[in-house]
Amino acid sequence: MGKARPIWALVSLLFLVYGNGSMMTKVEATSKVHIVYLGEKQHDDPILTTNSHHDMLASVVESKEMASELMVHSYKHGFSGFAAKLTECQVQKVARTLPAYILIHCKFLELPGVVRVIPNSFHKLQTTRSWDFLGLSSHSRVNALHNSSMGDGVIIGVFDTGIWPESKSFSDEGLGPIPSSWKGFCESGKRFKPRIHCNRKIIGARWFVDGFLADYDQPLNTSANQEFLSPRDANGHGTHTASIAAGSFVENVSYKGLGLGTVRGGAPRARLAIYKVCWNVLGGWCSAADVLKAFDEAIHDGVDVLSLSLGYPPPLFSDTDKRDGIAIGSFHAVTKGITVVCSAGNAGPFSQTVLNTSPWILNVAASTIDRAFLTPITLGNNKTFLGEATFTGKEIGFRSLIYPEAKGLDPNSAGVCQSLSVKPSMVSGKVVLCFTSMTLSAVISAAEVVKEAGGVGLIVAKNPSNDLYPCADDAFPCIEVDYEIGTRILYYIRSTRFPIVKLSASKTIVGKPVSAKVAFFSSRGPNSKAPAILKPDIAAPGVSILAATSPLDRFQDDGYAMHSGTSMAAPHVAGIVALVKTIHPDWSPAAIRSALVTTAWRNHPSGFPIFAEGSPQKLANPFDFGGGIVNPNGAADPGLVYDMGTADYINYLCAMDYNSTAISRLTGQSTVCPSEESSILGVNLPSITIPNLRNSITLTRTVTNVGASNSIYRAVIEPPFGTSVSVKPNALVFDRKTKKLTFSVTVTTAHQVNTGYFFGSITWTDGVHSVRSPLSVRTEFLQPYSYVN
Ligand SMILES: *[C@@H]1O[C@H](CO)[C@@H](O)[C@H](O)[C@H]1NC(C)=O
Ligand SMILES: *[C@@H]1O[C@H](CO)[C@@H](O)[C@H](O)[C@H]1NC(C)=O
Ligand SMILES: *[C@@H]1O[C@H](CO)[C@@H](O)[C@H](O)[C@H]1NC(C)=O
Ligand SMILES: *[C@@H]1O[C@H](CO)[C@@H](O)[C@H](O)[C@H]1NC(C)=O
Ligand SMILES: *[C@@H]1O[C@H](CO)[C@@H](O)[C@H](O)[C@H]1NC(C)=O
């Protein structure tokens, strides 16, 4: 008789595992402050001098607006010159030492009178650029980072693969005593001694393996340091996520000598409680039984925030199904005031792939940041194109360039990356061009084939709306271009008897010219369990994030690695929640979530809209990024919040038609749903999603004033296409007594057909705050389960 198998499901970690070669390894070079010294001034009038500086800078950076943004100082009295934030390319333009390969992108400009361009040596780079991108620079004194004493005193629990405690990112230097509310502890095990490996940063470290072993049915391979039966991290994922949330400042960190700078977490003074629930098998697996046990312990221990970069693949379990340890465990945590932050999943860009969708969870999608890795490709005719790659090797001077043309009848059989078959005699010492309609695997396999046959480089033409994937080690150039550039290169090859190409090392472009996007892989809504509950809630950086890792991580360099995934996005938000919690210790998880969602960026502060990678690339909508990209400084002062408590969650459970027994078991109290049907549209979320509008629907929301007591908010409505939206009342008047007000929203449509989703918003504003709720509406004239005679 076989052993009865427990019903616990396995949960998988949500980070991207690439094939052979390096993870997204990047050159980190940012716009640095440079001093452009112009010698003697040309005008006596300082205003004219300053104007001329602005004109000069504008000619380099393409616009006057950007020039004003980048200008740091204008020197106009003793001498003429200015200090401005310039990228390498811009510096070279100014200095007139522009190398030929950039010519195609940056017009060469004659700038008369430039004497010298001097890099400013005082500016310190943040290697973890994501925090600067989010407005949390440690150099500024008045942002949410400083107003919250960097999260001091808040305890962030991380459910993951454990921790590498020796990493400098977990130094407790300068931290005060362990918060007195803390009831947790550190547990010993293989190569883990609480007395040595826990400190005032890592204040708890436990491991939960019984559920996993029961499921796994074979011994865990602990030889060759594949895994440790202890809180120690063999995988690296847990160390990475913990250091993103709450890593201490570590100076002079780099990846292979690149990107030297300071690395840190979102809340560098918050404490970490490590719950190892995932084990290093097949990239990381976690049993729901262990996850649920960890919730139980963490609630008792006294964590304030929980960060979970794991989840189940769809179909989603119901919220009351104990095979989903996350939905149930997080319900208990949230109703006790603990914010639970979870990853959205990496199954994008396809619809309805978002995981962890219970309305009490704060669900995080992944975005890129304002950074690109441009790699020049120069053809024998001297034309240069810019591709994307992470090629950090030496420039590859002019070599033969080949495209494997078709031999048989099918003209499309040639040059397809995923079925590339090349002989060493054909490609040795050469660069190969191929085309693909697929992504990751095709690119990786083509790079391996070419490299094996002795080729020196690969140019891959692919769908431009897909994310950049690294396809080989950093020293083998594998450059991605879109079909337009790929076609131009192909025509060049066909136009000449001896096509040649030169490949230069990748350059990092950072700052304004690069817009942030929702990452290709990030899972999308609508929520397949409850479409009226918008998921994801928010997006945060999750592409090429440099953070601490285990030395056993094969992608690491001196204990740090760049990883991508919604796994990296969730701890960004966990760190930010810790900051908000320090400023507002009495806010509920729902209030904090509302503050994040209603202040998130739909456009980057530079004014540039946020796109979503996918097919086709488009402006991001709420199913890509919920309210938008997280804006920590806005979240610290949202004005109004949409609060929720246990009663609201029970209303949701009743509206989901779970039976009373199941609900009572979940809530731990006898619960009878009201006899009239509960409306899921009435759940007090900071967003409104109507999946099945016919004619007209009215719903209500309640807001709580958390700003100045006497304030008046007015509604600004952006109706979704084909609908009219009205709000009653359309002004909310708060005073010392009136803190909470309820309003109704009526959405009407004239559509008499089933439509897709259209998007709009409802924003309450008092002139200072903008409390924006995304509004998504689909007309369902004929329900999918209706009978048609
Ligand atoms: C355990 O891992 C080591 C190192 O990778 C390997 O050599 C060994 O074969 C594995 N043992 C089992 C039982 O899989
Ligand atoms: C920074 O790192 C480099 C290379 O690892 C080393 O040579 C240098 O001494 C370090 N500087 C400081 C201030 O630690
Ligand atoms: C390309 O540029 C180089 C150097 O500028 C020049 O010597 C060469 O003749 C040019 N070749 C073509 C085909 O224009
Ligand atoms: C930080 O505090 C300063 C001073 O009280 C205040 O002016 C500023 O708005 C605060 N910023 C944030 C993001 O909390
Ligand atoms: C409630 O649901 C559970 C599990 O789905 C089921 O076992 C039970 O019989 C149901 N109870 C009622 C009263 O329908």
Side-chain angles (χ1 to χ4, degrees), residues 240-567:
H240 207 258
T241 53
S243 72
I244 291 170
S248 302
F249 284 86
V250 185
E251 291 187 2
N252 206 17
V253 170
S254 74
Y255 182 87
K256 296 189 178 173
L258 301 170
L260 190 65
T262 300
V263 64
R264 70 164 173 98
R269 297 180 71 83
R271 313 309 169 93
L272 284 165
I274 303 301
Y275 299 86
K276 179 170 174 178
V277 292
C278 302
W279 298 87
N280 202 19
V281 169
L282 304 170
W285 284 92
C286 349
S287 152
D290 295 333
V291 169
L292 204 48
K293 180 67 182 154
F295 269 111
D296 190 34
E297 297 295 320
I299 292 167
H300 167 267
D301 291 348
V303 302
D304 299 301
V305 185
L306 283 172
S307 186
L308 281 80
S309 294
L310 34 120
Y312 302 87
L316 304 180
F317 288 111
S318 90
D319 299 286
T320 59
D321 190 326
K322 73 171 173 171
R323 283 172 294 183
D324 183 344
I326 299 177
I328 294 182
S330 62
F331 176 86
H332 292 289
V334 168
T335 53
K336 290 175 183 67
I338 301 164
T339 294
V340 180
V341 184
C342 293
S343 299
N346 297 337
F350 308 106
S351 283
Q352 301 186 324
T353 49
V354 63
L355 318 174
N356 296 322
T357 65
S358 302
W360 43 85
I361 290 174
L362 175 41
N363 180 300
V364 188
S367 77
T368 63
I369 57 175
D370 52 349
R371 186 169 60 175
F373 303 97
L374 301 183
T375 310
I377 302 168
T378 307
L379 305 179
N381 61 9
N382 281 350
K383 284 222 167 71
T384 296
F385 299 100
L386 290 172
E388 280 202 76
T390 56
F391 170 43
T392 59
K394 280 217 183 78
E395 174 176 287
I396 300 209
F398 282 108
R399 297 297 168 92
S400 290
L401 171 62
I402 62 160
Y403 173 73
E405 293 279 3
K407 292 238 162 55
L409 290 176
D410 178 4
N412 293 327
S413 68
V416 176
C417 299
Q418 56 270 30
S419 52
L420 211 56
S421 124
V422 289
K423 292 200 197 73
S425 59
M426 204 173 134
V427 299
S428 180
K430 298 178 184 169
V431 175
V432 177
L433 169 71
C434 69
F435 281 70
T436 184
S437 55
M438 294 158 81
T439 56
L440 186 54
S441 55
V443 177
I444 290 172
S445 72
E448 274 165 9
V449 166
V450 171
K451 206 174 154 192
E452 206 136 278
V456 295
L458 178 70
I459 300 171
V460 175
K462 67 175 197 26
N463 185 332
S465 54
N466 294 355
D467 205 17
L468 168 71
Y469 286 116
C471 50
D473 62 64
D474 306 334
F476 183 80
C478 170
I479 305 175
E480 298 175 18
V481 296
D482 64 13
Y483 291 140
E484 183 187 334
I485 293 179
T487 304
R488 293 235 234 150
I489 296 174
L490 177 59
Y491 291 174
Y492 160 73
I493 293 174
R494 286 176 174 169
S495 75
T496 173
R497 283 181 64 186
F498 301 110
I500 52 170
V501 68
K502 179 173 79 180
L503 306 176
S504 308
S506 307
K507 298 258 165 200
T508 308
I509 306 291
V510 230
K512 295 284 171 60
V514 185
S515 69
K517 290 172 283 200
V518 174
F520 179 76
F521 57 77
S522 189
S523 289
R524 312 299 163 96
N527 171 355
S528 60
K529 183 157 65 183
I533 306 294
L534 178 65
K535 294 288 163 181
D537 291 298
I538 203 152
V543 176
S544 309
I545 303 299
L546 180 59
T549 188
S550 161
L552 302 173
D553 177 347
R554 67 190 171 106
F555 301 114
Q556 63 95 26
D557 176 40
D558 206 13
Y560 288 83
M562 296 250 192
H563 287 306
S564 297
T566 50
S567 277

Side-chain angles (χ1 to χ4, degrees), residues 30-47:
T30 181
S31 341
K32 290 189 219 176
V33 174
H34 282 81
I35 298 160
V36 179
Y37 176 60
L38 299 166
E40 276 301 320
K41 55 198 161 100
Q42 313 260 307
H43 305 279
D44 283 335
D45 181 347
I47 293 176

Side-chain angles (χ1 to χ4, degrees), residues 359-363 532-538 589-600 622 626-628 638 640-644 649 680-689 699-703 743 745 760-764 770-776:
W360 43 85
I361 290 174
L362 175 41
N363 180 300
I533 306 294
L534 178 65
K535 294 288 163 181
D537 291 298
I538 203 152
I592 292 174
R593 193 244 313 261
S594 171
L596 292 172
V597 171
T598 61
T599 58
L640 306 177
V641 295
Y642 294 81
D643 205 355
M644 278 199 271
Y649 301 131
I680 199 160
L681 296 176
V683 176
N684 203 37
L685 293 167
S687 56
I688 297 171
T689 310
L699 53 92
T700 61
R701 285 287 184 275
T702 300
V703 282
F743 60 91
V745 179
S761 63
I762 295 174
T763 305
W764 289 102
S770 283
V771 190
R772 188 169 55 81
S773 291
L775 171 58
S776 315

